[in-house]
Amino acid sequence: MAIFSKIGIVGAGISGIAAAKQLRKYDPIIFEATDSLGGVWKHCSYRSTKLQTPRCDYEFSDFPWTQRDNSSFPTHLEVLEYLHSYATHFGVVELIKFSSKVVEIRFVGNHANDPDDQVNSNGYGNLLNGQPVWEVAVQTSESDTVEWYAFELLVICTGKYGDVPIIPQFPHNKGPEVFKGQVLHSLDYCKLDEENSVQLLKDKKVVVVGYKKSAIDLAVECAKANQGPDGQPCTIVVRTLHWTIPHYSIWGLPFYLFYSTRASQFLHERPNQGILRNIFCKLLSPVRNAMSKIIESYLVWRLPLEKYGLKPDHPFVEDYGSCQMAILPEELFEEAEKGMIDFKKASKWCFWEGGVEFDDNTKLEADVVLLATGFDGKRKLRNILPEPFRSLLETEGMMPLYRGTIHPLIPNMAFVGYIESVSNLHTAEIRCKWLSRLADNYFKLPSVGQMLEQTQKEMGIMRKTTRFYKRSCISTFSINHTDEICEEMGWKSWRKNNWLAEAFSPYCSQDYQEQKHID
């Protein structure tokens, strides 16, 4: 017999904590597979990992950081402490079932005998209707037995990162099995304590595959571990070049002026913008290009990108518009100048017994190869969701989620943490506020057809903005996206005190405190 509750939440990372706080009145049950909250901040962080944004841009609307005006970027330990304080303050911790892994989900809704009827329905219905829709099988680390729970609403917050690593595929006899050294994915490296991680890297020839934030941080840690007389340089294998920035200032101007204000985002295309705005955006394309060029010129001047062959061919806006931009550790090029970090550009590579081999037939000796090749978040979902819903998760690499939360064809299920922006915490929190009011029946969802149409429009904008569109990112129209969420909740969409601030100051979670809504 399944244990019945109104709302279940899977995952206790940032999204799960945000969802639990907003849905607290329903006493949700939160399942966390590990023994601690924090998600990637706990399980996918290195000693050197820091927040990518200033702390004032990464906080809950009703729980500001202490010393929130401190300009330094918080370490992952500071972020964890902040998340734990938030969860404790709002009574979320007591709702979490730790070491409880969801191993199966079953659909038991009104159309349980023919779920295709539900998928093809023209209406979505209420999220909470008094009847269970989903059954969830949970296994604890202390037991081999499975316990079943039933929920009216299931909120999936397992996230896009962690748990399931992406391991490259190799030709026969060209994979890790022929390599005589050690191969670790960044996920495995994160599990090492400081002593063992230093021992792994010290005085070793290390190759790091990847050029996003994880790879860059790994290379810096490797360089620091090899400072002794027998230290060896670390090589970063760069498969795809991306723009990185050293700090949030461009030619002395705050970075937010370029992309994070209402005025700057007015230059970019957005869903539902109409014929006049389509014309306007075409006319302003030179201005958009100029904004990108200004940032690119600063980065080429400030960083030795051309010296190391690291200047991307694509515009900066394409990385920003696909949430690929990373903050660069100051030590990266310092260590490169000292000869402790090398760079190798290669689109294809494989293993040989002594290291790695590239598509230009050159070989690189290695003792350790670290794969910073990313995570397969959708595979996590596919592993637990039943058919036919499993097949609906992905469209051209992106999840078609209405308001970044509801899949129009999956009943009584919400997804939080699968759409990205400059501040993923803010993105998650505002959608959880929207979800809470939807559960309270403050408003109704549009028809399935209308929701699908909206998601297609948003994905269309992402495709036009960047060649790296196979991820759901709303960075260039995040304010407008949140405007529509506010309007649907009955809130004011313009949140500032005057038109000047409205146009030229950045938006953050503090702007969406609840006392600012329309009664």
Side-chain angles (χ1 to χ4, degrees):
M1 187 73 178
I3 301 170
F4 178 73
S5 183
K6 281 187 172 296
I7 296 176
I9 299 173
V10 184
I14 288 174
S15 300
I17 294 169
K21 192 269 179 180
Q22 296 302 324
L23 296 165
R24 182 69 176 81
K25 70 180 79 171
Y26 296 105
D27 291 323
I29 299 175
I30 310 164
F31 302 109
E32 169 54 44
T34 70
D35 61 359
S36 58
L37 58 79
V40 294
W41 288 106
K42 175 65 176 179
H43 305 291
C44 297
S45 296
Y46 318 135
R47 297 188 308 279
S48 58
T49 301
K50 292 185 177 181
L51 188 63
Q52 290 276 283
T53 58
R55 66 190 72 211
C56 61
D57 291 335
Y58 197 87
E59 65 182 358
F60 293 102
S61 59
D62 51 4
F63 199 76
W65 284 82
T66 56
Q67 299 180 329
R68 68 185 302 268
D69 294 327
N70 186 333
S71 60
S72 65
F73 295 102
T75 66
H76 74 282
L77 294 177
E78 289 178 284
V79 175
L80 274 175
E81 182 181 355
Y82 172 75
L83 294 176
H84 196 277
S85 297
Y86 176 84
T88 301
H89 179 77
F90 289 107
V92 170
V93 174
E94 62 200 49
L95 302 174
I96 304 175
K97 289 185 177 294
F98 290 105
S99 302
S100 299
K101 183 178 181 179
V102 172
V103 294
E104 185 181 352
I105 297 174
R106 294 177 183 168
F107 179 72
V108 293
N110 295 331
H111 303 275
N113 294 327
D114 188 2
D116 284 326
D117 287 347
Q118 180 72 45
V119 171
N120 295 325
S121 170
N122 289 322
Y124 201 94
N126 297 332
L127 291 183
L128 301 176
N129 54 19
Q131 297 294 324
V133 178
W134 298 99
E135 286 186 344
V136 177
V138 178
Q139 185 174 28
T140 63
S141 57
E142 295 84 16
S143 174
D144 292 331
T145 61
V146 170
E147 192 166 29
W148 284 90
Y149 295 79
F151 301 102
E152 297 177 49
L153 170 64
L154 190 60
V155 187
I156 307 294
C157 303
T158 53
K160 299 172 65 174
Y161 304 105
D163 298 327
V164 180
I166 294 176
I167 305 296
Q169 299 295 310
F170 301 97
H172 182 62
N173 288 331
K174 295 288 187 178
E177 69 278 359
V178 303
F179 178 50
K180 293 184 177 180
Q182 289 182 269
V183 181
L184 279 81
H185 191 274
S186 60
L187 181 63
D188 300 312
Y189 178 86
C190 291
K191 298 174 183 177
L192 301 176
D193 58 27
E194 182 173 358
E195 180 180 353
N196 285 320
S197 62
V198 171
Q199 193 64 33
L200 174 71
L201 304 174
K202 186 177 181 182
D203 302 334
K204 305 283 180 60
K205 297 174 184 176
V206 180
V207 172
V208 178
V209 180
Y211 191 57
K212 294 182 184 178
K213 180 61 177 172
S214 295
I216 293 171
D217 284 347
L218 271 175
V220 170
E221 288 204 6
C222 179
K224 290 181 178 179
N226 281 276
Q227 294 298 310
D230 297 322
Q232 300 288 327
C234 169
T235 300
I236 302 179
V237 176
V238 183
R239 297 180 298 167
T240 304
L241 287 172
H242 291 289
W243 291 97
T244 56
I245 64 174
H247 45 67
Y248 276 89
S249 177
I250 302 295
W251 295 119
L253 298 173
F255 181 81
Y256 67 74
L257 286 177
F258 293 87
Y259 291 112
S260 300
T261 66
R262 193 175 289 277
S264 60
Q265 291 196 3
F266 189 73
L267 302 173
H268 295 267
E269 291 189 70
R270 63 183 65 166
N272 308 311
Q273 64 180 10
I275 296 176
L276 288 179
R277 269 199 55 80
N278 278 331
I279 297 172
F280 186 75
C281 283
K282 283 182 171 57
L283 293 175
L284 286 180
S285 61
V287 180
R288 290 198 303 273
N289 295 336
M291 301 273 272
S292 188
K293 290 292 185 184
I294 290 171
I295 296 174
E296 293 163 32
S297 68
Y298 174 78
L299 296 177
V300 171
W301 171 79
R302 178 70 173 75
L303 303 172
L305 300 179
E306 294 180 320
K307 175 180 178 179
Y308 293 105
L310 299 175
K311 181 178 179 292
D313 294 328
H314 59 268
F316 175 86
V317 68
E318 291 199 39
D319 279 336
Y320 186 84
S322 59
C323 296
Q324 303 270 16
M325 183 190 77
I327 297 293
L328 195 69
E330 293 180 4
E331 303 94 333
L332 179 72
F333 286 116
E334 291 177 5
E335 296 297 335
E337 292 293 319
K338 293 191 297 185
M340 297 309 298
I341 294 179
D342 296 325
F343 302 93
K344 172 68 177 180
K345 289 190 293 182
S347 58
K348 295 182 180 179
W349 65 280
C350 59
F351 285 95
W352 63 287
E353 63 178 16
V356 297
E357 182 178 355
F358 303 104
D359 49 2
D360 60 2
N361 295 320
T362 60
K363 292 184 176 180
L364 182 65
E365 292 185 356
D367 301 307
V368 179
V369 176
L370 299 176
L371 303 176
T373 47
F375 303 93
D376 192 345
K378 295 187 182 72
R379 185 171 147 200
K380 286 192 287 185
L381 294 178
R382 289 193 294 268
N383 288 343
I384 58 174
L385 275 186
E387 289 291 4
F389 309 108
R390 183 186 305 158
S391 304
L392 303 171
L393 289 176
E394 193 171 325
T395 301
E396 297 184 38
M398 295 180 280
M399 288 183 66
L401 298 177
Y402 180 72
R403 303 303 183 218
T405 309
I406 294 292
H407 194 300
L409 300 177
I410 302 181
N412 291 67
M413 181 175 284
F415 300 84
V416 183
Y418 294 89
I419 189 167
E420 297 182 63
S421 70
V422 176
S423 175
N424 289 332
L425 186 150
H426 163 58
T427 301
E429 186 191 28
I430 191 66
R431 280 149 191 79
C432 288
K433 291 184 176 185
W434 176 88
L435 179 62
S436 174
R437 281 150 185 79
L438 178 61
D440 292 341
N441 280 323
Y442 283 177
F443 61 92
K444 298 290 184 182
L445 289 172
S447 70
V448 169
Q450 289 172 316
M451 289 192 286
L452 286 171
E453 182 182 3
Q454 175 67 15
T455 62
Q456 289 300 314
K457 288 179 180 178
E458 291 173 5
M459 288 191 290
I461 297 298
M462 297 175 203
R463 283 194 295 269
K464 292 170 70 173
T465 302
T466 173
R467 71 193 67 186
F468 309 111
Y469 66 84
K470 290 190 176 180
R471 55 195 292 157
S472 297
C473 176
I474 58 170
S475 287
T476 58
F477 60 96
S478 59
I479 297 175
N480 176 256
H481 200 271
T482 308
D483 284 349
E484 293 179 346
I485 287 176
C486 288
E487 290 165 4
E488 209 158 39
M489 291 193 294
W491 288 19
K492 295 178 181 177
S493 56
W494 285 36
R495 313 291 292 177
K496 304 290 188 179
N497 293 326
N498 58 72
W499 70 267
L500 195 61
E502 191 65 58
F504 299 109
S505 63
Y507 263 89
C508 64
S509 295
Q510 293 293 311
D511 294 304
Y512 297 94
Q513 294 179 38
E514 299 194 25
Q515 63 265 29
K516 293 187 178 182
H517 68 80
I518 302 173
D519 294 325

